[in-house]
C-alpha cells in the first residue's frame, strides 16, 4: 500500500509538469524515488547536484544511472567548506558535469524548463523536515519559482526504504 500511494503521488505530480526531474543525491531515499518515478517514466531526467567530494562508490553508482545530468556551482555547506569555490569552472570537474556558475542548480534547471522535482525527503529524518512536509504537503507548487515539488517517500521509514531496495533488487550506492 505504501508503494502504491507513493506511485499515485508521483503520477499526480507528473500530471502537473511538462519537464520534471528527480533530484538524485546518491543516498538511499533518492535512490528509491528514482526507482519509483522510473516505474512510471523510465526516461525521466535525474539531476545530481555535485558537491565536489564524492566517495568513489558514489561515482561508480552514478556511472550506472541513465539520463543523468550532473550540475556543479559554488555552494556554502559549513564553516570551512564551500563546494566548488571557484569563480570559473575548475579544471578538475568530473567529465560531463555542467558548471552553472553563480546560478544555483535548481534555478538553472527551472530556467531550462524543468518544472517539477521529485525529492527524497522523509518526515522521520528530523523535526525540520517533518515540519516542512506537514506545512507544505507531499505535493505542492513552489510560490517562488512555480516548480512542482513531490516527496514520494515522505511517509516512509528507514526500514521501508531498505525493504523496498531489498525486495525489488534496486541498485544502490554502497
Amino acid at each position: 500500500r505504501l508503494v502504491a500511494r507513493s506511485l499515485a503521488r508521483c503520477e499526480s505530480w507528473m500530471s502537473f509538469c511538462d519537464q520534471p526531474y528527480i533530484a538524485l543525491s546518491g543516498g538511499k531515499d533518492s535512490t528509491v524515488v528514482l526507482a519509483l518515478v522510473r516505474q512510471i517514466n523510465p526516461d525521466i531526467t535525474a539531476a545530481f547536484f555535485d558537491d565536489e567530494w564524492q566517495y568513489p562508490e558514489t561515482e561508480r553508482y552514478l556511472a550506472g544511472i541513465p539520463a543523468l545530468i550532473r550540475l556543479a556551482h559554488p555552494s556554502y555547506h559549513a564553516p570551512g567548506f564551500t563546494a566548488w569555490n571557484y569563480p570559473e569552472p575548475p579544471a578538475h570537474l568530473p567529465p560531463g558535469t555542467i558548471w552553472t556558475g553563480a546560478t544555483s542548480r535548481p534555478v538553472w534547471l527551472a530556467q531550462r524548463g524543468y518544472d517539477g522535482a521529485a525529492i527524497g525527503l522523509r518526515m522521520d529524518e528530523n523535526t525540520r523536515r517533518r515540519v516542512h512536509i506537514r506545512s507544505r504537503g507531499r505535493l505542492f507548487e513552489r510560490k517562488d519559482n512555480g516548480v512542482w515539488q513531490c516527496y514520494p517517500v515522505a511517509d516512509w521509514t528507514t526500514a521501508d526504504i531498505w525493504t523496498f531496495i531489498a525486495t525489488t533488487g534496486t541498485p544502490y550506492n554502497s
Side-chain angles (χ1 to χ4, degrees):
R1 288 189 300 251
L2 191 60
V3 171
R5 279 195 308 264
S6 295
L7 287 168
R9 186 174 300 134
C10 292
E11 287 175 344
S12 179
W13 162 70
M14 291 195 307
S15 74
F16 293 112
C17 306
D18 292 322
Q19 191 176 354
Y21 71 93
I22 302 158
L24 183 68
S25 69
K28 66 189 181 315
D29 302 331
S30 68
T31 294
V32 169
V33 170
L34 177 72
L36 289 168
V37 173
R38 286 199 169 162
Q39 283 184 35
I40 302 163
N41 179 353
D43 300 321
I44 193 167
T45 298
F48 177 73
F49 297 169
D50 195 324
D51 284 333
E52 190 170 14
W53 291 347
Q54 271 40 272
Y55 289 113
E57 296 84 0
T58 301
E59 292 295 343
R60 283 193 292 277
Y61 170 74
L62 294 172
I65 305 293
L68 176 74
I69 57 174
R70 288 177 76 132
L71 302 171
H73 87 285
S75 57
Y76 172 80
H77 288 277
F81 177 60
T82 300
W84 302 113
N85 193 14
Y86 305 90
E88 299 296 323
H92 62 283
L93 275 175
T97 302
I98 299 167
W99 180 254
T100 65
T103 306
S104 78
R105 296 159 293 197
V107 169
W108 186 93
L109 287 160
Q111 289 171 344
R112 281 148 185 84
Y114 288 93
D115 57 354
I119 303 167
L121 290 185
R122 291 183 301 106
M123 287 196 298
D124 78 342
E125 289 180 286
N126 62 50
T127 302
R128 186 173 180 190
R129 289 184 175 188
R130 186 170 32 260
V131 168
H132 170 77
I133 293 167
R134 284 186 177 155
S135 68
R136 289 189 176 82
R138 287 134 184 89
L139 173 60
F140 64 96
E141 184 180 19
R142 288 184 53 145
K143 295 185 188 329
D144 61 344
N145 62 11
V147 172
W148 281 91
Q149 291 201 217
C150 179
Y151 302 141
V153 296
D155 306 316
W156 293 38
T157 65
T158 300
D160 296 329
I161 293 290
W162 285 114
T163 300
F164 179 89
I165 289 170
T167 59
T168 60
T170 300
Y172 65 93
N173 180 354
S174 64

